[in-house]
Every structure is written in C-alpha cells, then in structure tokens.
Amino acid sequence: MPSTTEHLHGLVTAGVNDGVYPGAVWAVGNADGVIDRGTTGLLDPTRSDEPMTPDTVFDVASLTKILAVWSTIGTLWQDNHLDLDEPLGQFWPDVAGYPLGQVNAHQLLTHTAGLPLRAQLKNLYGTNHDAIRSGVLHEALHRPPSQAVEYTDRAALILGYLAEYLSGEPLDHLATDRVWSPLGMRETRYGPLPTATVARCAPTELDEETGTHLKGIAHDFSARLLGGVCGIAGAFSTLDDLTVLLRYLLDPGTAATPPGFGPDWTRESLNVHTGSLEPARGLFWHPAPGTDPADQSWTHYGFTGTAMWLNPKQDRWAVLLTNKLYYTRDREPLATLRDQFRETVFG
Amino acid sequence: MTARVATFLDLPAASPGGSVELFRDLYTGTEPLIPARAFMLDAVHNGPSAVPGLDLLAVDGKCIDEPGFTQYVTALHRALADVLDPEDVDVLHLQHLTFGATPALLRTLPDHPTIALVHGTDLLFAETHPDQLRVLRDTVRRADAIVVPTSAMADRLRTLAPDAARVVKIPWGIPDHLLAGPPPRRSSPEGRQRLLYAGRLTPEKGADRLTQALGVATNFTLSIAAPPHEFRALRPALHRAGLDVHYLGWLPRPELWKAFADHDALLMPSTTLEAMGLVALEAQACGLPVLYQPVPGLDETLGEAALPTGFTDPNHVAANLRHLAVSGLADDLRAAARANAARFPLSAAAASLSHLGDSLS
C-alpha cells in the first residue's frame, strides 16, 4: 500500500513539526508481521542527538489496562478461575458485604460498574498501600451497576487486585509469567525502569518536584503512589512487544509459546457488551472513536500519547506510540491525528 | 525580624510566563528568598501543591470582567479567609494588580500594610479593560508602596493611574545560582546560526512579526520554546513563511537555560512595553547574545548589552544576524551580556523588597 505508507509517514512526521509530540514510533501490520513502520522526531526536543528509534521504550499509561489486566483476567477466565457474571462478593471475601460485592467482573471490564469516576487515591485513602486497597474495595458506588458506561481507572485497579487475589501473585509477576514472557515481550515491564533502560525511554511530563521530565518512572500518579505496579497504568513497552501481542490476537499461531489467555478470550472481548448504552464497549477494548462497531476497529489509548488498534475483520493492527505529554495534556491535537492515522490504516 | 508576607498570584500553578517564574523564585521553595504564605490557583483540583511553599486554592470561575468578577473575588476572598490567620501576616505583596487575587487579598486582610508589585500584564490589560483599570486604580490608591521593576513601568503606570504615589523602583532579578554557574556553551556542529525564540507567542511578544522578520535572513535554524497550544496556533504561519522550525516545548527553567547555551542568539521581537525582560537576562547570564526590539522596558534593561533590532524590517534583522555571524560582535555581546545580567541578582531584589516591607510593618 504505497500511497497509504507515504501518507502515514507524512502524517506522523507532521505531528512533530506541528508540536503535537516530540517524537513517535509507529507500525502497521497483519497477523504475518509488519507491513510498514517508522520513527520520527526526538525523545527529548532539547537533545538533538537522541532520536526516536524502533526500540524506544514508552510509558504506555492506560495500555497497561490491556497488557496487564485484560490479559491476566483473560487468563484466569480461561483457566475457569473466574466467572465474569458472578457478583464479586460471592467469591472474594475482601468485598463481601460492601457495595462492590454486588458488582461483577463483566461490569468492571465494560466500565458499567457504577464506580466513582475519579481515583483520587491519595486524597481519599492516604499513601499506605493496604489502606488504599481497602479504601478502594470498600468504597460506595457512584450509581447502580449496568446503568451507564463511564470509563474509570478504578475498574482496572479493582480487576488488578482481583487478579492478584485469584492468582496469589502480584500483578507484575502474574502478567510477566502468564503473558509477557510466553509471548516474548521482553521489554514490557512495570517501572521504575532499570538505569540501563532509562536512556532509551521517551520522557513524559514535567515533574514539578524535580524540575525535569519523567523518564523511566510512570507518569500516572496512582501508579507511582502504589510503588509503580497497579492495574491503572505503570507498564512500559516497545513497538516490537506490542506488535507481538497484536499479531497473537489476530492469529494465536504466531506465538512461540501461548500465553495464559487464548482466542476465546480475544473473541469474547472484541464484541460490544454494553447493549444500548453509549458509548459502546467490549471488554476493556472499545470501538475506535468515529467508527461503527460493526467495522471491528478496536482500540485502546494511553494518556501519555500511546495507542493501539486491532481489526480482526481486516486482519490488521496498528500502533502509534508518542510522548505528547512532554508538551501538553491537551487531548485535541493528538486525538485528531490518531483519528487520521486510524482512518488511513483501516479506512 | 523580617516581615511575614502573604501573597497571591491569580493563575493556575503551572501557568507559563515570566510573572509566574518570578513569583516562584521569590516566594516558594524549601528556603524561599522571601518567606511567605504564597498562593496560586489549583485549576484542576489536584490536591496539595507539588511545589514546596506554594499553597493552592481550589476556586473555580476565574474571570477578569464584570459580570462575574465581583462574585469571583468573593469566592477567592472566602478561600483565603479559611486559610489565612491575620496574626501570622505582617505585610501583603499584591501581584497582578488588576486581577482577582489582589482585591481578594485586600478584602481578607484590609488593615495590613501593602506593597503592590506591578507586572507588565496588569498594565496591558488595564489599558483595554475598564473593570481592570478600575481595580488597578483602587489598588494603587490603597497600596502603601508601589514597586515597579523599570522606569518604563512607572511611566506607564502613571498614565493609567495618575494619582499613583510612593512608587519605588526595584529591578527584578534572575536566580543567583544561574549567574554563578550558567550551563556550558556548546558550539554548533552545523555551522548555521542557531536562533531561539523563548516565551509566550502572544501579539505583545511579537509572535506575528517573527514569521516575516526572518524572511531575508539565510543560513540559520530557528528553535521555539513556547506553550504548545500557542505554537500550534502559530505553526501554519511559520509553514507559510517557509520557516523550518524546531519546537522545544515549554521548557522548565533549567532546560531552558541549557537551550540558551545551545544557541547563538535570542530573538525578542516584542511589540510593546516589557516589564523587565527576565528571559533576556537569563539568556544573557548564559552568554547568549540578544537581538531585541527596543520597546520601553527592554531598552532600559538591555541597553547596549544587546543588539537593538527592527523586527518589522527583515533586512535589518538579516543584516544584524550577518554582522553577528561574521564579525567579533558575538564575543563582545556575550561578554556584555554576562556583565549586564550580573547587575540583576534575584537576591538583591528580594533584599530590597524585604527592606521595604520591614519599613512598613
């Protein structure tokens, strides 16, 4: 697709020239591999000798919800350790008798659980990890479940806690052992990153406390508060690792060693589960903005400027990793560019 | 004993601009130059401030004109009244005299001595907004002392508030540690002149001029350090002008200082009064020659230590850049720049402000 390829290169480079992000790494492919990919711009605009490269490590922010939580919950579901429709209170003592006890995992995965909209962990529960966990699991609901689709970080945080309870393992260990290692995602891990890796990590937002841009430390405040590991955010990854995952989702035969979840979980997740409620969502994945769910263009974004798309109908995936947060929290410039990127790849 | 200060800047904590940097330099940090209860706005209700010594007030509905301004001032006043004990404060430092924080602070502590610090933005807004001119005049009437950084600011203030009395000139300053240890200069590997624009891209800063001003110059690269939304707004004009621009983002000070050391000239095409031109002084401290439009304030601060340039004349800009590139002018300007910047240590500004406060309280 020569014209498409040319257009993608130009589009992503325009994002650098227009000040949307300092740099980006992207790829488009199918189950067989990469069709095209590119890099543009710099890790840090003030360091002209540090270009973005294919192995640049990104703080993927909410892609963590897919990489760590969706994948491990799928593993537990596949192993018949979790019934998505069973109220949590019936098998999870930590939430039995609390409002969260009436919620089920399906509602958490579709963001219809009625959870409070903001995390606000430190303000509400302090800094002790146990107190935060207890506070989150015992919190009141913002509305009855299944009434509205409201994206919340808390859903992923709770599912992360649930995965840890059911597996008896910390979330980072669980994700590494059951998903990332089997698939060969060697660069995917929770932060803080080891010193040797920090140099090729794309910096994100200015940290007021240190006066420097965060680099190798999760931008997400909740993740940092929780020591780097939680279901909300905190994972770092690379283009190649995300490629491996997306290829596996299109074709399980591409994995050298299968991870804990299989095609059943992928199929289950890439379907609209929110009925007549808007916006439509699958299980953590959601139809790309501006597309008809029937188009099967599924996506997830990360606040730091990351995104991945998956379209089983077209046998195509795409990844666009940027560090737009270096410049700004404004959503609009990158949102527009993401839509153009997605339209170019998937039509 | 040094007077205890309360001060309030009516802007979200992370806002860009020289006034915000000066405010933080003077009043915040673990060992502030002027110990103070320093307040800014918490625009997104993020909770406690990440900046030591800075308190955030979660007040919504910021506005600068009526209707709404009085209500906004009342909300600020209530927030201040909840956290300020009059017994703990000796003197008020009023900032941005035309905006909501100043009347709110005056209403909260009406009997305390006040020093009014005039910034550039106050006067520019007062010239065009009747409500803000009224607030400026009220503030000037009530202040026990009015501090301006340059004579140009005093002159402009008096045109807007003719009855301004007790005007004291205290030049602002740049951090002493920058003067003592600027980042090392790095020469260009490309041989092209590396030009830098650093600051907001607003009309008064001459952003619109920038695109035309470089129309004749050759063999240069232009870097811009500016707020992202302002850069994106200017980007089409830069593109139309055929300028190849490297965008640096809105840099934190230490990174901006490094950028100064990585460039060959700073461009300041301002179109109107500059209160002081702190960004130019910081650039000069880093040994960066400055080309500036000789507007009031800037000519006073920079004088012969920088290169006055008519940014409305692309030929003049090109001639000055050529002169800078091929003659010994760059070395002379670097030496003059460092000497000029050394005249304005922030510690001196803080000491003068503290002394003034002691004399009032």
Side-chain angles (χ1 to χ4, degrees), chain A residues 16-20 42 44-49 118 120 122-123 206 208-209 211-213 326-330 333, chain B residues 13-14 24 44-48 50-51 186 228-229 231-232 235 246-252 254-255 258 262:
Chain A
V16 174
N17 295 335
D18 293 345
V20 179
L42 301 168
D44 180 330
T46 66
R47 296 172 191 270
S48 57
D49 53 348
R118 298 186 63 197
Q120 291 190 296
K122 186 176 177 185
N123 288 351
L206 177 68
E208 290 283 353
E209 284 185 47
T212 59
H213 290 263
Y326 186 101
Y327 287 150
T328 180
R329 289 190 175 201
D330 291 352
Chain B
R24 286 171 54 158
V44 289
H45 299 200
N46 267 338
V51 178
R186 295 201 293 188
H229 62 285
F231 175 76
R232 285 195 298 275
R235 172 73 195 159
H246 179 48
Y247 178 54
L248 300 177
W250 181 247
L251 299 175
E255 291 182 28
K258 282 184 199 161
D262 285 344

Side-chain angles (χ1 to χ4, degrees), chain B residues 141-220:
Chain B
R141 249 193 312 275
R142 291 183 61 175
D144 295 294
I146 301 165
V147 171
V148 293
T150 54
S151 299
M153 286 283 281
D155 293 344
R156 188 67 67 95
L157 174 67
R158 287 196 177 100
T159 64
L160 292 165
D163 55 349
R166 298 175 300 278
V167 177
V168 182
K169 178 178 159 183
I170 298 179
W172 298 339
I174 59 177
D176 293 44
H177 62 90
L178 174 63
L179 290 167
R185 286 199 56 74
R186 295 201 293 188
S187 56
S188 168
E190 302 174 8
R192 290 200 290 175
Q193 258 181 319
R194 300 165 302 172
L195 310 179
L196 174 65
Y197 176 93
R200 302 196 58 191
L201 292 168
T202 48
E204 67 270 19
K205 299 293 183 187
D208 297 341
R209 284 181 178 178
L210 198 60
T211 55
Q212 303 304 323
L214 292 166
V216 177
T218 56
N219 200 31
F220 69 89

Side-chain angles (χ1 to χ4, degrees), chain B residues 3-337:
Chain B
R4 297 165 301 176
V5 170
T7 188
F8 183 10
L9 194 60
D10 185 13
L11 285 169
S15 298
S19 294
V20 177
E21 303 292 359
L22 179 71
F23 182 85
R24 286 171 54 158
D25 282 349
L26 283 173
Y27 303 107
T28 71
T30 49
E31 292 182 26
L33 290 167
I34 300 177
R37 287 297 303 278
F39 298 94
M40 290 185 74
L41 295 177
D42 177 8
V44 289
H45 299 200
N46 267 338
S49 164
V51 178
L54 179 63
D55 288 325
L56 301 184
L57 296 181
V59 176
D60 295 321
K62 175 173 169 128
C63 63
I64 57 176
D65 289 314
E66 301 291 2
F69 181 72
T70 301
Q71 195 176 355
Y72 174 58
V73 170
T74 300
L76 292 177
H77 157 61
R78 286 184 180 141
L80 281 169
D82 283 345
V83 294
L84 266 185
D85 183 345
E87 298 296 317
D88 292 339
V89 178
D90 296 316
V91 60
L92 306 183
H93 282 194
L94 307 173
Q95 317 278 345
H96 275 165
L97 308 191
T98 61
F99 301 120
T102 286
L105 202 49
L106 284 170
R107 196 186 300 177
T108 307
L109 302 175
D111 300 323
H112 281 62
T114 56
I115 297 174
L117 289 90
V118 187
H119 298 244
T121 319
D122 328 22
L123 302 187
L124 296 177
F125 270 81
E127 284 175 350
T128 52
H129 293 70
D131 291 323
Q132 294 186 325
L133 180 60
R134 173 179 56 79
V135 175
L136 176 74
R137 287 175 172 166
D138 285 349
T139 307
V140 162
R141 249 193 312 275
R142 291 183 61 175
D144 295 294
I146 301 165
V147 171
V148 293
T150 54
S151 299
M153 286 283 281
D155 293 344
R156 188 67 67 95
L157 174 67
R158 287 196 177 100
T159 64
L160 292 165
D163 55 349
R166 298 175 300 278
V167 177
V168 182
K169 178 178 159 183
I170 298 179
W172 298 339
I174 59 177
D176 293 44
H177 62 90
L178 174 63
L179 290 167
R185 286 199 56 74
R186 295 201 293 188
S187 56
S188 168
E190 302 174 8
R192 290 200 290 175
Q193 258 181 319
R194 300 165 302 172
L195 310 179
L196 174 65
Y197 176 93
R200 302 196 58 191
L201 292 168
T202 48
E204 67 270 19
K205 299 293 183 187
D208 297 341
R209 284 181 178 178
L210 198 60
T211 55
Q212 303 304 323
L214 292 166
V216 177
T218 56
N219 200 31
F220 69 89
T221 61
L222 174 64
S223 302
I224 292 182
H229 62 285
E230 293 176 2
F231 175 76
R232 285 195 298 275
L234 185 65
R235 172 73 195 159
L238 294 168
H239 187 68
R240 280 195 301 275
L243 287 176
D244 181 18
V245 175
H246 179 48
Y247 178 54
L248 300 177
W250 181 247
L251 299 175
R253 301 279 283 300
E255 291 182 28
L256 179 61
W257 297 339
K258 282 184 199 161
F260 288 150
D262 285 344
H263 286 81
D264 300 313
L266 179 77
L267 308 181
M268 287 201 72
S270 309
T271 60
T272 186
L273 169 77
E274 286 273 3
M276 181 86 192
L278 287 175
V279 67
L281 288 174
E282 293 189 356
Q284 288 194 315
C286 299
L288 185 63
V290 177
L291 275 66
Y292 72 101
Q293 184 75 31
V295 295
L298 272 190
D299 54 1
E300 190 176 335
T301 304
L302 300 175
E304 297 300 311
L307 203 54
T309 303
F311 278 90
T312 52
D313 179 0
N315 288 309
H316 192 215
V317 176
N320 274 358
L321 287 174
R322 213 164 36 242
H323 197 35
L324 193 66
V326 299
S327 68
L329 180 63
D331 289 339
D332 292 346
L333 274 180
R334 271 195 277 276

